[in-house]
Amino acid sequence: MSQRIQASKSIQAYQGTVNAQQLQADFYQLPAASDEAHYRLFQFGAGENHVQLLVPPAKRVTLFFGYRGDHSIMQLLLLTDALRRSGAEQIDLLLPYMPGARQDRVCNVGEALSVKVYASLINQQQYASVSIFDPHSDVTAALLDRVQVIDNHSFVAAIAAQLSGELVLVSPDAGANKKVFGLAKALQGMPVIRADKHRDVVNGHIIATEVFCDDLSGKTCLIVDDICAGGRTFIELAIKLKQKGAQSVILIVSHYEDKASESALREVGIDRLFCTDSLGVPAHISSEFCDCHAVLSYMNH
């Protein structure tokens, strides 16, 4: 589970945990696994996507969708339509990363409410259920129909079990407090250190970071958040944690964009990065530093 994984192994992980009812359903995956034999995707010269089923689907289908940019949304819609036209009567969607989830409010005049646009597209498909993994905020769940939210508790617990020392959770900002305190309860009351950041809402730059703790000597600090983009939040936070005596800093994110610089993360004292493959297996960061888990294995409760 903890080794650097390949996308095609996700199906095996899923099949190893499904219940009897789910075993009666066909399983489809986007992007296609290397051994995918259910369908093929191609693109016309003008740029349109197209999908063709190679075998008729079962009446019930479980569709796992790994978002890989907005073109993949169109692939999802096309595959959903093809399945229904070919006889699928019930489609359950596993959606680990909800696109637009970070754009869950309008901060500046003229902006779109992105998460609502993506949610509307998904709702129009009338899936029997939509399961999402550790969404950015409650707004996403409120906008999706027949949604099932899967928290990050099992994911973080699996990582904590590998670590030694005096572990403490670090909530990176006020927006993460609710989820981190809920996680702490699930982890038998693991201590929580609160932090906060001040950001310029116009350009998104972090102005200041504050950690609400005087002494972290000897502590292994687990920074837990839903997503890592460029990593600036965690870099600034790690600097503060080290200044307060943290022995080790571990970064745990459910969704990793593969944009943060490994050297920049290491330079400020982040010792390890744990993530899932919800946005693909990280390609620009070493496996010695990044431990990537198959998100599919955490999406069946």
Side-chain angles (χ1 to χ4, degrees), residues 21-98:
Q21 187 179 24
Q22 287 171 313
L23 284 173
Q24 300 172 9
D26 275 355
F27 180 80
Y28 285 73
Q29 178 170 328
L30 265 176
S34 59
D35 57 352
E36 180 64 67
H38 291 92
Y39 66 92
R40 68 186 182 104
L41 292 167
F42 56 95
Q43 196 173 69
F44 292 107
E48 304 103 318
N49 286 286
H50 192 66
V51 63
Q52 179 184 11
L53 297 184
L54 302 178
V55 293
K59 296 295 185 183
R60 182 177 181 184
V61 170
T62 298
L63 175 53
F64 174 83
F65 173 54
Y67 176 76
R68 300 292 186 267
D70 283 354
H71 71 283
S72 67
I73 289 285
M74 183 53 67
Q75 292 174 341
L76 171 65
L77 303 183
L78 291 170
L79 180 54
T80 299
D81 183 72
L83 288 168
R84 288 225 169 87
R85 290 178 182 276
S86 300
E89 297 177 356
Q90 176 178 329
I91 304 177
D92 295 286
L93 179 65
L94 302 181
L95 179 67
Y97 176 77
M98 174 64 186

Side-chain angles (χ1 to χ4, degrees), residues 15-286:
Q15 291 175 336
T17 59
V18 294
N19 57 39
Q21 187 179 24
Q22 287 171 313
L23 284 173
Q24 300 172 9
D26 275 355
F27 180 80
Y28 285 73
Q29 178 170 328
L30 265 176
S34 59
D35 57 352
E36 180 64 67
H38 291 92
Y39 66 92
R40 68 186 182 104
L41 292 167
F42 56 95
Q43 196 173 69
F44 292 107
E48 304 103 318
N49 286 286
H50 192 66
V51 63
Q52 179 184 11
L53 297 184
L54 302 178
V55 293
K59 296 295 185 183
R60 182 177 181 184
V61 170
T62 298
L63 175 53
F64 174 83
F65 173 54
Y67 176 76
R68 300 292 186 267
D70 283 354
H71 71 283
S72 67
I73 289 285
M74 183 53 67
Q75 292 174 341
L76 171 65
L77 303 183
L78 291 170
L79 180 54
T80 299
D81 183 72
L83 288 168
R84 288 225 169 87
R85 290 178 182 276
S86 300
E89 297 177 356
Q90 176 178 329
I91 304 177
D92 295 286
L93 179 65
L94 302 181
L95 179 67
Y97 176 77
M98 174 64 186
R102 284 173 294 171
Q103 294 84 47
D104 59 2
R105 57 177 176 162
V106 175
C107 296
N108 301 295
V109 175
E111 291 181 338
L113 184 55
S114 302
V115 69
K116 188 176 188 303
V117 176
Y118 288 107
S120 296
L121 288 172
I122 293 168
N123 288 340
Q124 288 168 13
Q125 308 314 305
Q126 294 291 303
Y127 296 111
S129 66
V130 178
S131 299
I132 55 177
F133 181 67
D134 193 17
H136 182 64
S137 72
D138 294 339
V139 175
T140 297
L143 290 172
L144 287 171
D145 297 336
R146 294 172 292 280
V147 68
Q148 300 176 11
V149 176
I150 301 172
D151 57 48
N152 64 349
H153 297 178
S154 296
F155 171 51
V156 178
I159 295 166
Q162 304 176 38
L163 304 175
S164 59
E166 191 174 351
L167 306 182
V168 297
L169 295 171
V170 179
S171 175
D173 53 39
N177 284 343
K178 179 181 177 181
K179 289 202 290 186
V180 173
F181 277 102
L183 171 63
K185 183 178 180 180
L187 296 177
Q188 288 76 51
M190 185 179 292
V192 175
I193 304 300
R194 292 188 303 110
D196 204 357
K197 62 187 177 187
H198 303 282
R199 189 188 292 274
D200 187 324
V201 297
V202 175
N203 57 33
H205 295 165
I206 295 174
I207 301 170
T209 298
E210 185 175 2
V211 174
F212 302 103
C213 179
D214 294 328
D215 185 13
L216 291 170
S217 298
K219 303 290 195 301
T220 295
C221 295
L222 311 183
I223 304 174
V224 180
D225 209 355
D226 60 294
I227 189 166
C228 176
R232 179 53 54 186
T233 294
F234 309 118
I235 288 171
E236 298 294 336
L237 180 53
I239 292 172
K240 294 290 185 179
L241 294 174
K242 284 294 186 177
Q243 289 175 351
K244 292 177 181 289
Q247 178 175 311
S248 179
V249 178
I250 308 294
L251 176 58
I252 304 173
V253 290
S254 298
H255 313 288
Y256 180 67
E257 286 189 354
D258 199 21
K259 291 183 179 179
S261 164
E262 177 178 348
S263 60
L265 296 174
R266 285 181 179 270
E267 185 178 336
V268 297
I270 295 178
D271 299 288
R272 294 292 303 278
L273 164 65
F274 292 86
C275 65
T276 76
D277 64 336
S278 65
L279 289 170
V281 179
H284 299 98
I285 200 163
S286 70

